[in-house]
Amino acid sequence: MTLRLILLAAASAVTLSGCLTAPEPPQSELSLAQSAPLVSADGSRFVEAEPVELWWQLYESEALDTLVRTALERNRTLAEVSAELEQVRASLGEARSARLPSTTTSAEAGYARQPVEPSGYVEGDRYSVGFDTRWQLDLFGRVRNAVAAARQDVLAAEAAYDAAAILVAGETARAWADYCASDRLVAVARNNVEIAGRSLDLTERLYDAGRGLRLDVVQAQSRLETARADLPSFRASRDSAVFRLATLTGRTPAQMQAEIPECEGVPRLEGPIAVGDAASLLARRPDVRQAEHALEGAAARVGVATAELYPSVSLGGSIASTALDAGNLGNDDTLTISAGPLISWSFPNIAATRARIRQAEAGADAALARFDQSVLNALQETETALTRYAAERERRNSLEVARDAAAEAARLSRIRYEAGAESFLTVLDSERTFADAQTALARSDATAASAEVDVFIALGGAWPRTRDADSER
């Protein structure tokens, strides 16, 4: 009869627990379902198509592709985040273990002295073995909500890993662009030095021939040294980019300097960038997904706290054998067997439980606020990145026209000077303008490349991720 009651109680518990639902997370006031174009994506630089996954491959640079793949495999920060993800996944396994019966085995051997009636005692060796099992009936969803919260923690941790991977890929692309841009600036500075050197040589020859002024020679020398002064800082910027690439790819600076590929030019996309719309952006952004999963996890923890208002019911049983001789263990007259339900309830002292519920509800409200803020941040970062990129590309186009015009002006002024129709001051000014225009254009290439990376980072990168299928269940 007792066994029948236990089985009926177990069946009822399973039925009741299946009828309970997890608490719904608080609803955000920000509408994410409405698809709308991004405000700053209305120019010719962008299209509303969905962004590509492996965006760095758009540059068709084998060197960049290799560096990014290496960084994603060897970056130490990413390895740390990956280990933290595995910790959270293990916590999910621990939460799921509460669904299963718990078992305990024990064994003891020792010397015992026991009183006997009417007076006196017996003493001698004493042996005991036992087995205990207990299964908590999740009638009010405490275990189920704890598992749901742990599952959301895993999904949030996976989103955090995705965010870290996006940042690693983006910063690797940026460091490579900075390396190429600095290399270009070094080449421009060397060209400026060469031009200034030719000017000095010309003025010295004219002065020696009696056709020039000593002032022209001194000014040419000043221009040459000014051009040379740019080289050390540009080389330092190039080395700094190499050292950043070393850290990002898990190498030492010496290893990276020995292995750095040759740069064929500053990475730049000529066609428009696919950016999607606001809804697809928020679905891609891992920080938004992380905040969303944290919100759902916080709601599940409200369910865990609420379940504490109700009784905790467990089914359990134990069997033990105690004997004065080890050979008698397991005999019928040494066995003790028990089975039945165990109910524990803190009622009517539920003040602490209600306080924990209020804490959990406040935590859910805070998670909602963080989710809303992550949405606003994602939109702000993306709109800002799009605006800055479009502006810098427009600025670069103007600088390119200015550079070409300055080059032509420098050529004409030199011809006129050699013919005696122009002063050397005009030549010096035109060459200085040309050198400055070259440098400004190279700097704009670097800024535009960095702004381009900012766009791809803001768009949320969407390459395929390795997921633990267990976390979805």
Side-chain angles (χ1 to χ4, degrees), residues 112-421:
R113 179 176 179 178
Q114 293 178 299
V116 296
E117 295 295 341
S119 62
Y121 61 88
V122 294
E123 57 183 316
D125 295 335
R126 181 176 179 272
Y127 304 90
S128 66
V129 293
F131 175 84
D132 179 87
T133 184
R134 193 172 303 277
W135 177 41
Q136 182 175 345
L137 304 180
D138 193 24
L139 296 177
F140 304 103
R142 187 188 68 82
V143 174
R144 186 173 64 258
N145 283 310
V147 171
R151 184 184 300 113
Q152 295 302 323
D153 288 344
V154 170
L155 295 174
E158 287 175 347
Y161 177 87
D162 292 345
I166 288 170
L167 193 59
V168 166
E171 291 306 317
T172 302
R174 192 195 310 279
W176 174 247
D178 288 348
Y179 171 76
C180 294
S182 297
D183 197 52
R184 171 66 179 152
L185 282 167
V186 169
V188 167
R190 285 173 176 164
N191 185 54
N192 291 341
V193 169
E194 184 180 342
I195 292 173
R198 288 200 301 266
S199 294
L200 176 60
D201 180 65
L202 173 63
T203 56
E204 287 178 337
R205 284 190 287 106
L206 291 175
Y207 177 72
D208 292 341
R211 293 177 52 196
L213 301 174
R214 177 62 182 166
L215 177 62
D216 293 344
V217 175
V218 174
Q219 287 177 326
Q221 287 176 331
S222 175
R223 176 60 192 151
L224 175 60
E225 294 306 318
T226 300
R228 283 175 175 164
D230 288 336
L231 274 169
S233 62
F234 294 154
R235 290 194 187 105
S237 296
R238 184 176 60 186
D239 289 344
S240 176
V242 172
F243 302 151
R244 283 160 51 204
L245 283 170
T247 300
L248 287 161
T249 57
R251 297 169 174 152
T252 66
Q255 290 173 325
M256 193 71 247
Q257 275 194 327
E259 300 172 11
I260 187 74
E262 182 179 353
C263 183
E264 299 176 352
V266 181
R268 183 172 72 245
L269 297 180
E270 295 300 337
I273 298 176
V275 297
D277 56 23
S280 66
L281 167 71
L282 297 175
R284 279 192 315 273
R285 289 271 301 213
D287 54 338
V288 175
R289 286 190 283 110
Q290 183 180 3
E292 181 181 12
H293 292 309
L295 174 58
E296 294 179 358
R301 287 183 173 87
V302 174
V304 174
T306 302
E308 299 296 333
L309 288 173
Y310 305 100
S312 174
V313 182
S314 300
L315 296 179
S318 65
I319 180 170
S321 176
T322 303
L324 299 178
D325 188 323
N328 294 329
L329 290 175
N331 293 344
D332 289 345
D333 56 352
T334 68
L335 291 178
T336 302
I337 300 175
S338 65
L342 174 64
I343 300 176
S344 62
W345 196 8
S346 60
F347 181 83
N349 184 18
I350 57 175
T353 301
R354 292 199 178 278
R356 285 192 289 270
I357 293 174
R358 290 194 298 271
Q359 290 175 6
E361 290 173 341
D365 291 339
L368 174 61
R370 286 191 293 271
F371 172 74
D372 286 345
Q373 190 62 45
S374 70
V375 169
L376 296 174
N377 286 342
L379 294 172
Q380 174 197 334
E381 290 173 8
T382 304
E383 297 286 6
T384 301
L386 297 179
T387 297
R388 288 179 174 172
Y389 171 70
E392 189 57 41
R393 288 303 301 267
E394 184 177 352
R395 176 175 177 269
R396 188 207 172 276
N397 289 343
S398 296
L399 288 173
E400 188 173 26
V401 174
R403 190 273 314 270
D404 294 342
E408 179 65 10
R411 186 184 69 83
L412 293 175
S413 64
R414 178 176 291 278
I415 292 174
R416 289 176 58 82
Y417 175 70
E418 292 176 352

Side-chain angles (χ1 to χ4, degrees), residues 33-109:
Q34 176 103 17
S35 293
L38 294 162
V39 174
S40 303
D42 57 352
S44 60
R45 297 289 176 189
F46 311 105
V47 293
E48 202 172 318
E50 282 301 294
V52 298
E53 293 180 344
L54 306 178
W55 55 267
W56 54 87
Q57 293 184 351
L58 293 173
Y59 296 102
E60 298 181 349
S61 168
E62 183 179 350
L64 175 57
D65 188 46
T66 300
L67 285 168
V68 172
R69 284 191 286 106
T70 302
L72 293 175
E73 292 170 0
R74 299 179 55 177
N75 182 267
R76 296 297 85 200
T77 299
L78 201 55
E80 178 185 356
V81 178
S82 178
E84 292 171 348
L85 172 57
E86 292 307 314
Q87 285 182 317
V88 179
R89 283 174 173 165
S91 297
L92 174 58
E94 181 182 2
R96 284 173 171 164
S97 68
R99 295 171 172 171
L100 305 174
S102 61
T103 58
T104 304
T105 59
S106 62
E108 181 183 358

